């Protein structure tokens, strides 16, 4: 099953599920590896062509294919300058709204949610303030139970921590035993700030309002523009006034008239 045939299959299948091929160009190998395994499990000797026919004859398989298209790439403080901006410019005001409510959309293995917990602690320590889980609630959602399970454990390889300073690593993580000398676990005191929840944003959104929403490298990368606009419409009643929406550094919004640009550089918007 060649890469060329795999790319052709994705170009055919993704729009049918409401996704953009352009968003999947770079991570396509991760997705195609899963699809190849699925084709093998089904015993389809004809590869992608036979899988197309299988999808035509078994409509329920589209749900399985949709799950196989999850992109699980993340790390702590991805695009570090964005996090520094949030800590210095956005979060000081947010933390005055008690309890502060933050949502990490598509949290994957939990790096983003725990990054939020770290910068909240950093800000509190900077102002000699003692914050607890009663002061901040970080909701982290993903539709993939496997990545959520890893997120709840809070264990990560050294490569996921590359954007952190040595001081941040020693302060907010502990090393595991000698058998996993390159593995780190987030401190339990930070876990208390985060609630992980299985949720597919294609079906429903949380029934609450937020001071800060991070939706980075998901909706505005992989969804079609029509579905992006629909997501934004559904997001509007879930944003407090004032509040912030942060998207990926290489993403753009489908012209939402109700959001103001707070930082073009860091892709932060607000109401």
């Amino acid at each position: 099953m060649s890469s060329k045939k795999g790319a052709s299959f994705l170009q055919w299948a993704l729009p049918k599920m409401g996704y953009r091929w352009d968003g999947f160009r770079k991570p396509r190998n991760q997705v195609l590896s899963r699809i190849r395994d699925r084709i093998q499990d089904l015993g389809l000797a004809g590869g992608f062509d036979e899988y197309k026919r299988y999808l035509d004859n078994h409509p329920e398989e589209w749900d399985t294919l949709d799950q196989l298209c999850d992109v699980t790439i993340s790390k702590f403080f991805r695009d570090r300058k964005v996090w520094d901006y949030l800590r210095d410019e956005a979060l000081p005001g947010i933390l005055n709204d008690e309890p502060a409510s933050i949502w990490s959309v598509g949290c994957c293995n939990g790096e983003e949610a725990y990054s939020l917990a770290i910068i909240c602690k950093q800000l509190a320590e900077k102002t000699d303030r003692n914050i607890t889980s009663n002061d901040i609630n970080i909701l982290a959602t993903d539709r993939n139970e496997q990545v959520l399970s890893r997120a709840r454990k809070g264990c990560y390889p050294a490569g996921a921590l590359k954007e952190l300073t040595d001081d941040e690593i020693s302060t907010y993580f502990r090393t595991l035993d000698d058998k996993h000398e390159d593995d780190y676990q987030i401190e339990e005191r930070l876990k208390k700030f985060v609630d992980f929840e299985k949720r597919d944003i294609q079906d429903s959104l949380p029934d609450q309002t937020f001071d800060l929403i991070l939706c980075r490298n998901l909706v505005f990368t992989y969804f079609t523009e029509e579905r992006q606009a629909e997501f934004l419409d559904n997001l509007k009643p879930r944003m407090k006034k004032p509040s912030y929406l942060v998207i990926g550094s290489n993403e753009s919004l489908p012209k939402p008239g109700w959001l103001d640009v707070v930082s073009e550089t860091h892709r932060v918007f607000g109401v």
Side-chain angles (χ1 to χ4, degrees):
M1 290 183 279
S2 70
S3 296
K4 185 176 181 180
K5 283 194 172 182
S8 177
F9 172 80
L10 287 178
Q11 290 173 334
W12 170 81
L14 290 170
K16 298 179 184 298
M17 296 183 288
Y19 298 127
R20 300 169 56 246
W21 156 248
D22 286 348
F24 281 84
R25 284 180 184 273
K26 289 185 178 180
R28 66 182 182 276
N29 289 334
Q30 180 188 115
V31 173
L32 285 173
S33 177
R34 296 195 204 105
I35 296 174
R36 290 189 182 98
D37 289 343
R38 176 61 176 168
I39 290 172
Q40 186 174 6
D41 290 343
L42 291 171
L44 304 179
F48 291 109
D49 289 337
E50 189 171 353
Y51 191 44
K52 281 186 180 181
R53 294 191 291 272
Y54 186 89
L55 286 162
D56 288 338
N57 295 323
H58 301 82
E60 70 280 1
E61 178 67 18
W62 283 100
D63 290 335
T64 300
L65 177 59
D66 193 3
Q67 297 289 329
L68 295 176
C69 289
D70 279 356
V71 177
T72 54
I73 301 173
S74 188
K75 62 180 178 179
F76 283 86
F77 291 121
R78 185 176 181 179
D79 301 319
R80 180 70 197 231
K81 291 182 179 179
V82 175
W83 294 95
D84 293 340
Y85 175 86
L86 290 176
R87 183 194 60 221
D88 298 337
E89 302 295 334
L91 277 171
I94 289 173
L95 293 184
N96 290 329
D97 183 12
E98 298 180 4
S101 184
I102 304 173
W103 180 21
S104 170
V105 185
C107 65
C108 196
N109 298 309
E111 293 95 333
E112 182 174 87
Y114 290 133
S115 293
L116 284 163
I118 289 172
I119 62 172
C120 287
K121 285 293 287 183
Q122 287 177 334
L123 187 59
E125 290 160 2
K126 185 178 180 180
T127 57
D128 294 323
R129 177 181 174 187
N130 181 36
I131 58 171
T132 70
S133 56
N134 292 325
D135 303 312
I136 303 170
N137 175 253
I138 300 169
L139 175 65
T141 64
D142 202 285
R143 70 176 184 176
N144 187 322
E145 184 57 47
Q146 185 176 1
V147 299
L148 286 173
S149 178
R150 290 199 293 268
R152 293 185 183 103
K153 292 178 181 177
C155 297
Y156 301 94
L161 281 63
K162 286 184 177 180
E163 296 296 326
L164 280 75
T165 65
D166 291 341
D167 183 61
E168 287 170 337
I169 293 174
S170 63
T171 301
Y172 302 112
F173 294 82
R174 67 179 183 86
T175 55
L176 299 179
D177 58 56
D178 292 340
K179 293 182 180 180
H180 305 281
E181 61 183 3
D182 289 332
D183 288 347
Y184 298 83
Q185 185 170 48
I186 195 82
E187 288 279 0
E188 289 296 322
R189 60 195 172 102
L190 292 176
K191 285 187 177 183
K192 295 177 181 178
F193 291 108
V194 184
D195 292 323
F196 290 101
E197 175 185 289
K198 184 177 181 181
R199 180 181 293 273
D200 189 341
I201 58 171
Q202 299 177 93
D203 299 327
S204 65
L205 303 186
D207 188 22
Q208 65 188 90
T209 57
F210 299 93
D211 298 284
L212 172 64
I213 298 175
L214 277 72
C215 184
R216 307 171 71 221
N217 309 300
L218 176 60
V219 172
F220 305 106
T221 292
Y222 302 110
F223 287 16
T224 61
E225 188 167 313
E226 180 181 359
R227 292 181 66 206
Q228 291 176 18
E230 181 181 352
F231 174 79
L232 279 175
D233 286 343
N234 292 330
L235 203 63
K236 186 174 181 179
R238 291 165 173 84
M239 294 185 68
K240 296 180 181 179
K241 294 183 180 180
S243 63
Y244 300 96
L245 169 66
V246 186
I247 65 174
S249 297
N250 296 315
E251 294 179 323
S252 59
L253 297 179
K255 300 179 181 179
W258 55 275
L259 279 170
D260 298 320
V261 177
V262 177
S263 172
E264 183 70 36
T265 301
H266 302 299
R267 313 307 291 143
V268 180
F269 302 83
V271 291

